[in-house]
Structure formats: structure tokens, C-alpha cells
Amino acid sequence: MLTGKHLIAGNWVAGDTTFKSEPAHGEAHDFSVGTPAHVDAAAKAAEEAFWSFGYSSRAERAALLNAIADEIEARGEEITAIGTSESGLPEARLQGERGRTTGQLRLFASHIEKGDYLDRRHDEALPDRAPLPRPDLRMIQRPIGPVAVFGASNFPLAFSTAGGDTAAALAAGCPVVVKGHSAHPGTGEIVAQAVDAAIKKLGMHPGIFSLIQGGKRDVGQSLVQHPLIKAVGFTGSLAGGRALFDLCAQRPEPIPFFGELGSVNPMFLLPEAVKARGGEIAKGWAGSLTMGAGQFCTNPGIAVIIDSAEADAFVEAATEALAPIGAQTMLTDGIAEAYRAGRDRVAGVTGVRELLTSTCDMRNATPYLFATTGKEWLDNEVLGEEVFGPLGLVVRAADFDEMQKIAKSLAGQLTCTLHLDKGDSELGRALMPVLERKAGRVLANGFPTGVEVADSMVHGGPYPASTNFGATSVGTLSIRRFLRPVCYQNMPAELLPDDLG
Ligand code: NAP
């Protein structure tokens, strides 16, 4: 049952005005518009909660993460029903994403119980060291305080209300204030009900979690500027993320803004691989490029190939594989509109050829395929920008030198992919130092869509893929974003944090 209200520290609170959801299909609902006053109440409750939650045991926080997963599962059908209606994503996708979300919560629970993430260090005192004695030094990671979370429209569960950022912050011991995404307010509310139920069941401080619905941009802006908020986790567009990042930097007390933004995720196709299995790669690319209507941050939007007869065959095979793919529903009217604008931007560049002309009416899009030369790509920065949706661009480099130039001029990426065979090893080795400077994840002979939630995963990269190249928003390392190291010098054992004892 939807209330249409905000969840502020365990209470469902109505606003003075409402906005209507814009579902892809099904009934629209009214939701309270969030205000800076709601944000203030939630941030104050989060700060109050920090004094207990920030000092809770790892076992207590693991129990909370597991209980949230249980409560989400208990509402599984309700979440799928509202999620498919709001986002237009198919039922199976919502079910899979729910499993990923609860799996992530449970993985983080078991990860913090092991304790390695605390990176405990100890330099024993050297009282007899000359010329100066060394004090006893102990270091451990401590939670930073209340965290603001902004989810993305394209992952209404795994990158939203109780998604990766929330799970990581709670695992670290940081209370969370979520700014609800206006593309899926109902899904957000049901998930918030699950979190609220888990907190109440365990008798924890209600300020640990709040959800303020959007409806107006000043909600998010006041949230990142609130003096009690100590960090922000954001997944979304480059424009939105950059605006909020700048606000964080301009605060009297600047705070870290962990923004996971856009990426074109280029693939580099080396000659022997193209010769041996160009058609197969083309088919795989078409599948990855159009999965979820291409609305993945890891969508491989660009394929760089060296000009040759095999390159012609690759382009033909990609066109053939993409042509029969029918229209898919995009997440919001705004995203469909941005997709059309992106297509026009690419098509408007001199030297870009349209290989597959498609349609995108109000909210339904079919794939587009374009081709250009390496020179045109290098001369037109706009061709390196993300078009969020099923749009592919083949870049035909004159030779390997030009391919390398293209790699060197890339902006920061979430992923870069190499397709190579044994005979391509030398070229692959020459490209690797460039690719690993550009991306958070470098893949061989695969496709970047489908991000494993694991210990070694890095979902981040140099700007604009993310605003913080030292961090990841997926995997257990993401917890580290919401911790800071504290050193305890000559501290009596009874004053040390329990985790150091
Ligand atoms: P979005 O439009 O940037 O929205 C994200 C959130 O930020 C929403 O809550 C939105 O509020 C808020 N927001 C945006 N601009 C704002 C501003 N100027 N002031 C205050 N709040 C603002 O992004 P999206 O449409 O949800 O997601 C699509 C984009 O996300 C794509 O570019 C995709 O590549 C990227 N993405 C990246 C990753 C990653 O991990 N790197 C993952 C998924 C998606 P409203 O609710 O009011 O719109």
C-alpha cells in the first residue's frame, strides 16, 4: 500500500504539495513534494542516530543488512508490480535486480563481520628508540557520519533506495538520507517500508534511515548542502552529478561527493580477433548494446576497429544483428527525449554515416548504428560523449597508431574492453597502459554490461565516469567510501574502539 509520504526517522510524513508519478504503464499516484524542511528533519535525526549506530557492533549492522534483505524479499511481488509499472522494465529484470539488491545487502553483512575492511594497523611503541622514542600507534577506519544517497532511474532497486550506496553506508555505520528518484517514487516508498520494518524489528534508532521524495530540485540541493551531511553517494547523469558535486565543493565545509556518472565504454577490436570471429563479436555487441534499451551505464557505445575488409564484415554483421531488434520502452519521457537529442548530435557531425536508421517515438526506442573514421572521431569531441540508450558508433581507425591515439584521447570511463586473439597480444600489451589509465575496469573478450557484485569489482574510474577515481560504487570496496582512518596514539586500551580491542 502506497502512502505517497516521506519516511522521516520512522514516521510517514505528508508534504503540503504533491507531484504525480509518470509510470510507463498503469496508474499514476500522488507523492508528497520534498522540501528543505523535510531534509533538515531527516538530517538532524540521522545525526542523532549516528551516536548509537556509528558505535554499533559489526554483528548488529550485519543483522540490520540481513533484515532489510528479508523485508525486501517479503515485499517482492509488490516491488515487482510497482517497479515494472513505473520504469517500464520487464518483470524478469525487476526480479533479477531484486536478487542482486538483497544479495548485495547479504554480501556486505558477511563482509563486515570478517572485519578486514577496517584495515587495522598497529605500530608498537619503541620507548628505547634513539634519538626519539616511538609512541604506540593504532589505526582503524571509522564511519564518517550521515550520508546522502541519490539513486539512478535505470536501476530502481540495485542503485536506488536500498541499493549499493545505502548498503555500503549502513555497513560502514553511517545513517542514510535518501533523495527519492522521481522516476520511481512508488518503488522507492515500498523499499523504504522494508528498511523501516527492519529497523523497527531490531529496535534500532529510527534516524538511521529516511527517504525524502523529490518533485523539486531544491530537495537534492538542500540535502547535499546540509551541514550535518558528511558525504554523498550519487548515481546518475553527468549534468546532474556535476551540479551537485559543485555544490558539495562550495560548502563552507566541503564534503566528498561520490558520483558515478556517464561512460561510453569503448571496445577495441584487434585484427586477429576480428578476422577469426568478427561476426560473433558483432552479435554479442548488438545484444549488450540493446539490453535494457541500452540504458546501462556500462553500455558499450563505441567499437573501435582498424580499417580492413574484415572491418566491413564486422559492420555488416553488427547492422544485421541490430536491425531486427524491436522497440523497447525507455525509463522516462525525459530519457527518451535526451536519446533523440543524442542521436541528432551524433548524426549532425560531418563524416558520420547512419548505418541503421531507426525510430524513437514518445518513450519507445529502437537501436541506431553509426560509423565514422578515426580522424573524424578525434576531431569531434561530441562523438566521445555518452548517448544514454541503444546507440552504437563504429570508429574505423586508419591503423593501430590511430587506434592508440583514440584510446589516449578518451575521457575517463567505467570500462574499456579489448577483443583479442593470441596473435594480437603485442598490440594488446601496447594498449593496456593507456586503457588502465582511462577506466576503472578493463575487460578482455567480453561485454561490460552486467557488473558483478564482488570483492574485486571496481565500478568507477577517472572523471567523468566518476567524481572520485579512488572509489568504486559496486562491490565490497564501496564501503570504504564512507569511512575515514583515525590514528590512536598511546591510547589506553579501555578507550579504544571495540574493533581495535
Ligand atoms: P539524473 O537525471 O542525473 O538523476 C539522478 C538523481 O539526481 C535524481 O534524484 C535527480 O532528481 C537528481 N538530480 C539531477 N540533477 C539535479 C540537479 N541539478 N539538482 C538536484 N538534483 C538533481 O540521472 P538518471 O536519469 O537517474 O540516470 C541516468 C544517467 O545515470 C545516465 O547518464 C547513466 O549513464 C547514469 N548512470 C550511471 C551509473 C554509474 O554507475 N556510473 C549507473 C546508472 C546510471 P529528480 O528525481 O528530480 O530528477
Side-chain angles (χ1 to χ4, degrees):
M1 280 294 291
L2 289 176
T3 68
K5 298 177 182 175
H6 311 290
L7 171 66
I8 303 181
N11 298 311
W12 292 94
V13 178
D16 295 336
T17 54
T18 58
F19 69 95
K20 263 208 185 323
S21 61
E22 292 174 10
H25 49 78
E27 206 186 324
H29 294 276
D30 288 326
F31 291 90
S32 294
V33 172
T35 64
H38 295 126
V39 166
D40 185 54
K44 282 180 174 148
E47 171 65 14
E48 200 186 297
F50 183 75
W51 293 109
S52 53
F53 191 59
Y55 299 86
S56 59
S57 69
R58 288 178 278 130
E60 284 170 306
R61 294 200 299 285
L64 175 63
L65 294 167
N66 285 324
I68 295 171
D70 293 344
E71 294 293 339
I72 288 175
E73 272 159 10
R75 289 163 180 76
E77 280 177 27
E78 212 181 337
I79 289 170
T80 303
I82 186 96
T84 49
S85 154
E86 289 186 327
S87 67
L89 293 169
E91 215 174 279
R93 158 70 198 274
L94 260 291
Q95 286 160 348
E97 200 182 316
R98 191 176 75 235
R100 179 194 165 114
T101 308
T102 53
Q104 182 164 258
L105 287 157
R106 295 204 163 97
L107 174 70
F108 286 10
S110 68
H111 185 72
I112 58 169
E113 288 210 286
K114 284 185 243 151
D116 304 349
Y117 78 103
L118 292 166
D119 192 12
R120 286 173 272 224
R121 296 170 189 216
H122 185 194
D123 295 295
E124 279 180 31
L126 299 175
D128 302 325
R129 190 180 68 175
L132 288 171
R134 182 171 81 183
D136 182 86
L137 299 168
R138 289 169 192 266
M139 192 278 281
I140 194 173
Q141 302 286 335
R142 300 293 300 146
I144 53 176
V147 168
V149 169
F150 292 71
S153 55
N154 59 342
F155 280 94
L157 301 174
F159 279 89
S160 193
T161 314
D165 286 343
T166 297
L170 294 178
C174 298
V176 169
V177 180
V178 174
K179 143 71 179 70
H181 201 298
S182 48
H184 53 257
T187 316
E189 181 185 325
I190 307 290
V191 174
Q193 289 176 10
V195 180
D196 184 44
I199 290 171
K200 286 181 174 147
K201 234 178 218 170
L202 296 177
M204 296 177 110
H205 193 295
I208 289 169
F209 180 86
S210 293
L211 166 74
I212 312 294
Q213 296 285 9
K216 268 182 87 182
R217 283 282 151 95
D218 63 353
V219 189
Q221 290 158 1
S222 62
L223 180 57
V224 302
Q225 289 176 305
H226 198 287
L228 294 174
I229 294 296
K230 296 300 173 199
V232 182
F234 174 96
T235 306
S237 65
L238 176 56
R242 183 61 201 237
L244 294 170
F245 170 85
D246 287 344
L247 286 178
C248 285
Q250 286 156 16
R251 289 168 45 128
E253 178 201 353
I255 54 168
F257 179 87
F258 296 100
E260 298 301 330
L261 313 177
S263 191
V264 291
N265 306 293
M267 305 194 308
F268 292 84
L269 280 60
L270 298 184
E272 293 302 320
V274 177
K275 224 181 269 171
R277 49 192 170 84
E280 198 188 310
I281 299 170
K283 265 194 213 141
W285 184 37
S288 179
L289 188 67
T290 55
M291 191 189 288
Q295 300 167 115
F296 285 113
C297 47
T298 50
N299 202 36
I302 292 183
V304 188
I305 193 164
I306 298 171
D307 236 345
S308 60
E310 287 85 12
D312 292 341
F314 170 81
V315 166
E316 208 171 299
T319 314
E320 254 173 46
L322 285 165
I325 295 176
Q328 296 179 74
T329 309
M330 300 208 77
L331 291 153
T332 64
D333 294 348
I335 286 176
E337 188 57 50
Y339 178 57
R340 283 189 286 273
R343 167 206 59 191
D344 294 345
R345 220 167 43 231
V346 174
V349 174
T350 318
V352 167
R353 284 188 304 129
E354 204 166 60
L355 299 173
L356 189 67
T357 313
S358 315
T359 55
C360 177
D361 66 16
M362 262 325 285
R363 204 156 150 178
N364 295 311
T366 50
Y368 287 87
L369 186 63
F370 294 91
T372 192
T373 62
K375 183 178 177 327
E376 292 297 343
W377 191 89
L378 288 164
D379 287 348
N380 290 282
E381 217 172 293
V382 69
L383 296 178
E385 290 170 9
E386 179 193 55
V387 179
F388 194 58
L391 184 146
L393 175 64
V394 180
V395 182
R396 300 178 66 130
D399 49 26
F400 181 70
D401 278 357
E402 194 169 75
M403 182 180 257
Q404 240 182 339
K405 257 190 215 145
I406 291 168
K408 280 186 181 158
S409 42
L410 284 169
Q413 302 291 330
L414 290 168
T415 72
C416 283
T417 300
L418 269 177
H419 285 279
L420 78 172
D421 269 9
K422 273 246 171 315
D424 295 314
S425 291
E426 202 179 315
L427 299 185
R429 265 200 306 275
L431 267 180
M432 275 305 280
V434 186
L435 301 189
E436 67 176 31
R437 271 192 83 181
K438 296 290 178 180
R441 179 163 56 111
V442 186
L443 299 82
N445 296 329
F447 298 95
T449 40
V451 183
E452 192 67 32
V453 183
D455 290 336
S456 315
M457 179 49 68
V458 174
H459 189 65
Y463 185 84
S466 101
T467 54
N468 192 306
F469 55 69
T472 172
S473 68
V474 176
T476 51
L477 189 61
S478 67
I479 299 169
R480 188 63 181 266
R481 295 172 300 167
F482 305 121
L483 296 164
R484 66 184 183 85
V486 178
C487 173
Y488 302 86
Q489 184 167 331
N490 286 340
M491 198 59 62
E494 64 275 20
L495 267 65
L496 288 171
D498 289 347
D499 278 326
L500 266 181

